[in-house]
C-alpha cells in the first residue's frame, strides 16, 4: 500500500471529480466556485467543450509526435497562431512542458546568446521550482530552503512594491531602479549580465503589479548594456490581466517572453518566444526534451486561442476583474485588517495585516479556508502568505463573481 507523500501540501481537502467552467464538483456532487483555476491555468474554464473536442480528436489521431524526432500539425499550427498574439518582433518559439522548464530555456538562451553568466531577478519574483528556476525565485524561502547549493550567477534587485516598502509607487520605482544601478555597479557588471528576469505582476510574491516607468527603466538599461529583458508571463499571460500579455499594461517590450499555465487550458505546455536574430545565437540543438510540444497539448492550445478570441475572454477578464475588485473593495472597507485590494484583470490579491501593520498570513489562510467550507476555492500568496488571491477562469460570469463576493463577505465576517 502506498500513500501520497507529505512533500505535497494541499490548500483544501476537496476531492475534485468534475469541472465545468469556473466550477468544480467533488465526489459527492458538491459544487464549488473555483477561483483558483488550477493556479491560473484553466483559462477557458474547466473542460471547455471546444478544448475537450480538440483534445479528444487529437488523442484518437496522434498522442505523442516526439518533437526532436518528427514534426506534427498541432505544433506547426500553434506556432503560426502564436505569431498572431505574440508581442511585435518575437517570431521564434520553443516549447517545453512546465513554467519552470520554460524559464530555464530562457536562461539557457540568454546565456548562450550573450556569452554572459549572470542574471538579475527582482525581489519577490517566482520563477519555478527546478533548481535554476528556484535559484531565480525570491518570493519565499520555502521555495529555496533545504536543497542548497543553488545555482550561482543570480543577483537580486528590488521590485517596485509600494505596499512592502510603505511608499508611494513613484518612490518605490525610484528606489528599485537606483538599486538596480547599484547592483550593476557593485555585484554584477553589465558585461557579466545576460538578462533581467521579471514578472509584470508578482504572482507568488503577492499579486503586486509593476509599472510603466519601472519597465522603461529596465528597457533603457537593457539597451544601454546589451542585457536581455526576459519577461516571465507564465501567470500573467493569455488574458489573465485583462490584456493578452500582462506586460502590455506597461509597454514591457521583452527580448524573451516566457509562457505556460493558461496557454493550453490545463494540458502541460510551456514555451518561450524571441526574435529570430536572438534565437539564432543559441546553439543549434541545444534545447529539447522528451515531452515538449505534446500533440494533444498543442491541439488544446490552438483551441484555447480560438476560444479566447471568439468569446472575447480578454475583455471578459478586464470587465469581470473590475467588477470583482469593486466588490472586494467594498467588503475591505469594513475591516481595518484588510489593507489592500489590488491587481489587474482577473489576477486580484486581498492583503491582510494585523493591528501593528505586520503581514498576517494566519488570518488570510483562516478566511480562505472558511470560504472553501462555504463553497469558494481560493489560494494565498505573498512572502508571509498574507494575500488571498482571486484567479477564476477567464470565462467567469457576472453572476459567479457576485456569488463569490457574497461568499467572501460571509467568510470574512465569520472569521474576523
Ligand atoms: C510567474 C511564474 N513563473 C514560473 C512558474 C513555474 O511554473 P511551473 O509551476 O509550471 O513550473 C510559475 C508557477 O506558478 C509562475 O507563476
Amino acid at each position: 500500500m502506498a500513500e501520497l507523500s507529505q512533500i505535497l501540501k494541499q490548500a483544501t481537502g476537496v476531492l475534485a471529480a468534475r469541472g465545468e467552467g469556473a466550477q468544480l464538483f467533488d465526489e459527492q456532487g458538491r459544487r464549488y466556485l473555483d477561483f483558483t483555476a488550477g493556479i491560473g491555468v484553466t483559462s477557458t474554464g474547466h473542460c471547455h467543450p471546444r478544448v475537450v473536442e480538440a483534445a479528444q480528436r487529437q488523442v484518437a489521431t496522434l498522442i505523442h509526435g516526439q518533437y526532436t524526432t518528427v514534426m506534427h500539425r498541432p505544433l506547426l499550427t500553434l506556432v503560426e497562431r502564436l505569431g498572431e498574439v505574440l508581442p511585435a518582433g518575437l517570431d521564434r518559439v520553443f516549447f517545453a512542458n512546465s513554467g519552470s522548464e520554460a524559464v530555464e530555456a530562457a536562461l539557457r538562451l540568454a546565456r548562450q546568446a550573450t556569452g554572459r553568466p549572470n542574471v538579475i531577478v527582482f525581489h519577490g519574483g517566482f520563477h519555478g521550482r527546478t533548481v535554476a528556476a528556484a535559484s531565480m525565485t525570491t518570493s519565499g524561502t520555502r521555495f529555496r530552503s533545504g536543497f542548497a547549493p543553488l545555482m550561482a550567477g543570480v543577483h537580486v534587485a528590488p521590485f517596485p512594491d509600494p505596499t512592502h516598502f510603505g511608499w508611494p509607487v513613484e518612490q518605490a520605482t525610484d528606489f528599485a531602479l537606483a538599486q538596480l544601478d547599484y547592483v550593476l555597479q557593485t555585484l554584477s557588471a553589465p558585461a557579466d549580465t545576460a538578462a533581467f528576469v521579471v514578472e509584470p505582476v508578482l504572482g507568488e510574491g503577492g499579486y503586486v503589479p509593476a509599472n510603466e516607468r519601472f519597465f522603461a527603466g529596465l528597457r533603457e538599461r537593457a539597451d544601454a548594456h546589451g542585457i536581455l529583458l526576459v519577461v516571465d508571463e507564465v501567470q500573467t499571460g493569455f488574458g489573465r490581466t485583462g490584456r493578452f500579455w500582462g506586460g502590455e499594461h506597461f509597454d514591457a517590450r521583452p527580448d524573451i517572453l516566457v509562457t505556460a499555465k493558461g496557454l493550453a487550458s490545463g494540458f502541460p505546455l510551456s514555451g518561450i518566444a524571441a526574435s529570430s536574430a536572438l534565437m539564432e545565437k543559441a546553439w543549434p540543438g541545444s534545447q529539447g526534451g522528451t515531452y515538449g510540444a505534446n500533440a494533444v497539448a498543442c491541439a488544446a492550445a490552438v483551441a484555447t486561442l480560438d476560444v479566447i478570441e471568439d468569446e472575447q475572454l480578454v475583455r471578459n477578464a478586464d470587465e469581470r476583474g473590475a467588477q470583482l475588485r469593486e466588490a472586494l473593495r467594498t467588503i475591505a472597507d469594513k475591516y481595518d485588517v484588510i489593507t489592500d485590494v489590488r491587481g489587474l484583470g482577473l489576477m486580484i490579491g486581498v492583503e491582510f495585516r494585523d493591528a501593528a501593520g505586520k503581514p498576517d498570513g494566519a488570518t488570510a489562510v483562516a478566511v480562505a479556508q472558511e470560504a472553501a467550507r462555504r463553497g469558494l476555492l481560493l489560494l494565498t500568496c505573498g512572502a508571509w502568505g498574507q494575500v488571498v488571491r482571486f484567479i477564476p477562469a477567464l470565462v467567469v460570469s457576472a453572476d459567479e463573481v457576485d456569488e463569490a463576493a457574497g461568499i467572501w463577505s460571509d467568510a470574512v465576517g465569520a472569521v474576523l
Side-chain angles (χ1 to χ4, degrees), residues 121-334:
V121 299
F122 295 87
H123 208 160
F126 181 87
H127 300 291
R129 291 177 181 267
T130 53
V131 172
S135 309
M136 294 154 70
T137 288
T138 52
S139 58
T141 48
R142 61 189 179 280
F143 303 114
R144 301 166 58 92
S145 290
F147 59 98
L150 295 173
M151 180 184 75
V154 181
H155 297 279
V156 186
F159 189 86
D161 180 347
T163 319
H164 175 68
F165 294 119
W167 297 336
V169 70
E170 287 303 313
Q171 191 181 350
T173 305
D174 287 341
F175 176 72
L177 292 173
Q179 289 301 113
L180 174 59
D181 289 336
Y182 193 47
V183 169
L184 288 167
Q185 190 63 27
T186 57
L187 292 171
S188 182
D192 292 330
T193 306
F196 301 139
V197 182
V198 66
E199 291 169 273
V201 180
L202 291 185
E204 290 295 330
Y207 278 29
V208 185
N211 63 76
E212 191 160 347
R213 201 159 63 79
F214 177 64
F215 266 102
L218 295 184
R219 190 65 268 169
E220 190 187 313
R221 287 156 179 80
D223 289 343
H225 300 301
I227 295 169
L228 299 171
L229 179 57
V230 178
V231 179
D232 181 343
E233 293 265 12
V234 166
Q235 193 159 163
T236 49
F238 270 73
R240 168 64 47 200
T241 67
R243 304 273 176 89
F244 198 93
W245 304 110
E248 285 174 39
H249 290 276
F250 312 124
D251 189 23
R253 289 179 286 141
D255 296 301
I256 305 175
L257 180 145
V258 186
T259 182
K261 287 194 187 281
L263 162 63
S265 292
F267 287 87
L269 183 65
S270 64
I272 59 170
S275 68
S276 40
L278 177 56
M279 280 283 191
E280 272 160 22
K281 292 186 183 156
W283 306 350
S286 59
Q287 305 222 25
T290 302
Y291 295 108
N294 169 267
V296 182
C298 287
V302 172
T304 297
L305 282 165
D306 289 342
V307 171
I308 288 177
E309 189 179 332
D310 294 350
E311 298 186 12
Q312 300 189 18
L313 294 187
V314 181
R315 198 171 92 190
N316 195 55
D318 188 36
E319 292 174 359
R320 298 286 72 75
Q323 177 192 351
L324 182 55
R325 263 192 312 280
E326 195 186 317
L328 295 174
R329 284 193 177 132
T330 304
I331 297 161
D333 285 346
K334 298 184 200 144

Side-chain angles (χ1 to χ4, degrees), residues 366-377:
V367 179
Q369 286 176 345
E370 183 60 30
R373 276 191 286 277
R374 292 165 183 265
L376 171 65
L377 301 183

